Amino acid sequence: MLLTYLINGLMTAASLLMMSMGMAIIFGIMNVVNLAHGELIIIGAYASYTMIEILGLPFGAAVLASFATTAVIGSLIEKIIIKKLYGKTAETLLVTYALSMIFQQLLKLIYGSGYIHLESPITGIVRLGKTIMPKYYLCIIAVAVLMFLVTWLLFNKTRLGLQIRAVSQNRAMAACLGVNTKRIDTLTFAYGAGLTGLAGCMIAPINSISPFAGSNYITDSFITVVLGGVDTLFGPVVGALLIGESESVVGGFIDSVFAEMIVVFAVVIIVRFFPRGIIVKERR
């Protein structure tokens, strides 16, 4: 029984990690609070729906389309709006909230207001003793791990990642050293948005989607990032594991609603004593 709860918690954690990776980049590295984050997840889900159900393309094409669509949208948002609002938190909140409303209405006009559910691209189950786990859950876990590894390698082992970290730590000095800070801002925001859309594609087969479902996802993503820590990519991993496993285990033994209440209360207490999250990166 406990093994079942732990495995379910691991799947929940993988979903949270995918949803929060993009926010960890945009919020943690760029210091931009994007209230349209949930809508980008939904756009990624609808992009996969368009590829699979309307155009009849395979799931692999849907994955690429979800990433590319939201990455392009993210780059446009940064170039047209966000680049003029760096350092203006209140204005950024208002503008991104307005964007979320616009995206909701556009999706409603295009796809309708009803719920849409995608069939799982991978069927079948895996047995671990008495525990039964759908194969697609394993796929979600594998993709979440791959997303994290690729992102970590990009930010820590490439020239682009070095430039991104330099701009986030000292923009003026990076510009003096010849780094095109405007280009780095756009690429970083686009990559974070692309990861967000990819998350929407992966969770679409396990959650029904609608134009107005984004508010649920942004709440979960924000709590995950804040709990784990916004200063490092490992923060969302820790936050996702703690929240996913806690909700699954407590909900399995007691009640799912009560489990969510306990987890939120625990997050409030932790953030009270660790305002920068559990994992804090030392700043010079």
Side-chain angles (χ1 to χ4, degrees), residues 30-31 39 63 75 84-85 94 101 109 115 118 140 160 168 172 205-206 214-215 221 225-226 230 233 244 272 281:
M30 302 187 69
N31 199 27
E39 280 62 43
V63 171
S75 65
K84 301 178 182 179
L85 300 176
L94 288 173
M101 297 295 103
L109 287 174
Y115 282 90
L118 284 176
I140 290 178
L160 175 61
S168 67
I206 60 175
S215 58
S221 301
V225 172
V226 171
V230 300
L233 290 176
R272 167 63 181 81
K281 183 178 180 180

Side-chain angles (χ1 to χ4, degrees), residues 3-63:
L3 179 60
T4 300
Y5 297 150
L6 291 174
I7 292 176
N8 289 336
L10 189 61
M11 195 283 296
T12 303
S15 299
L16 288 173
L17 178 60
M18 286 192 295
M19 290 189 293
S20 61
M21 280 296 296
M23 176 172 284
I25 293 171
I26 294 174
F27 176 44
I29 295 177
M30 302 187 69
N31 199 27
V32 174
V33 182
N34 178 24
L35 294 184
H37 178 81
E39 280 62 43
L40 288 176
I41 293 177
I42 299 301
I43 290 173
Y46 274 114
S48 66
Y49 170 80
T50 302
M51 292 292 106
I52 296 172
E53 298 295 334
I54 298 179
L55 300 180
L57 297 176
F59 187 73
V63 171

Side-chain angles (χ1 to χ4, degrees), residues 96-123:
T96 54
Y97 178 75
L99 279 175
S100 71
M101 297 295 103
I102 293 172
F103 286 147
Q104 288 176 12
Q105 296 305 317
L106 286 176
L107 290 173
K108 180 181 177 182
L109 287 174
I110 297 172
Y111 297 98
S113 58
Y115 282 90
I116 293 175
H117 183 75
L118 284 176
E119 294 294 330
S120 175
I122 300 177
T123 58

Side-chain angles (χ1 to χ4, degrees), residues 12 65 75 127 180 249:
T12 303
S75 65
R127 294 183 180 274
N180 188 338
V249 174

Side-chain angles (χ1 to χ4, degrees), residues 18 59 121-122 133-144 202:
M18 286 192 295
F59 187 73
I122 300 177
M133 186 177 188
K135 290 183 179 179
Y136 188 67
Y137 284 13
L138 295 176
C139 178
I140 290 178
I141 294 172
V143 171
M202 294 303 301

